[in-house]
Amino acid sequence: MNLNFEIDRSTSNVYVRSLPIEEVYVTRYGYRVLYRSGNGRLHYANMPLDWFGSAAGRGTVIYSDNKAVPFMNVVFIDGEQSHVNLFLPRNRQSLVYRPIDRTEDWQARFAGIDSLELRY
């Protein structure tokens, strides 16, 4: 039995990009994620909490004890960003979770965010 097969990627309309996460700041307004791009540089991404609020939302948080965590998957459908999955440590004492600066205006930082702007 031959189980080898080819996938014609030119006809697929779904693409997933994985990016390692260095730090996460959890605020009452959303997630601020420090991630590493493909060239090794660090960048921040802000994701409003309401993206993660419903089954048909724009984001999902998956908590895990897996050693590969933390990372995020960004899902593109037909070339448009569709969804982000944050894979985060289940243990909230993990060094990935960073304390937030209480003097920062977090509400303003997350206001009006319509899309996830990432650098690859």
Side-chain angles (χ1 to χ4, degrees):
M1 175 186 263
N2 184 356
L3 296 179
N4 293 328
F5 60 92
E6 277 190 41
I7 298 172
D8 183 358
R9 297 191 193 287
S10 66
T11 61
S12 177
N13 65 340
V14 178
Y15 174 76
V16 178
R17 179 76 187 236
S18 293
L19 298 164
I21 292 175
E22 300 292 322
E23 297 176 349
V24 175
Y25 300 83
V26 181
T27 76
R28 60 191 254 189
Y29 303 103
Y31 296 90
R32 181 167 172 84
V33 176
L34 180 65
Y35 67 96
R36 192 169 295 279
S37 64
N39 63 7
R41 293 200 171 130
L42 294 172
H43 306 281
Y44 282 103
N46 295 326
M47 296 166 235
L49 199 57
D50 61 355
W51 286 10
F52 300 88
S54 68
R58 298 175 66 186
T60 304
V61 179
I62 298 113
Y63 296 101
S64 174
D65 296 323
N66 189 300
K67 293 184 190 287
V69 169
F71 66 94
M72 68 177 155
N73 283 344
V74 183
V75 179
F76 296 86
I77 299 177
D78 293 327
E80 297 291 321
Q81 189 177 301
S82 167
H83 195 84
V84 62
N85 295 313
L86 297 178
F87 293 85
L88 300 177
R90 186 180 319 277
N91 180 357
R92 292 300 295 248
Q93 301 303 312
S94 167
L95 295 177
V96 171
Y97 296 104
R98 306 302 298 160
I100 61 171
D101 179 353
R102 301 263 181 220
T103 63
E104 180 92 24
D105 186 356
W106 291 104
Q107 185 174 12
R109 186 174 290 281
F110 288 96
I113 296 177
D114 253 357
S115 64
L116 182 60
E117 296 188 21
L118 298 173
R119 296 186 184 128
Y120 302 104

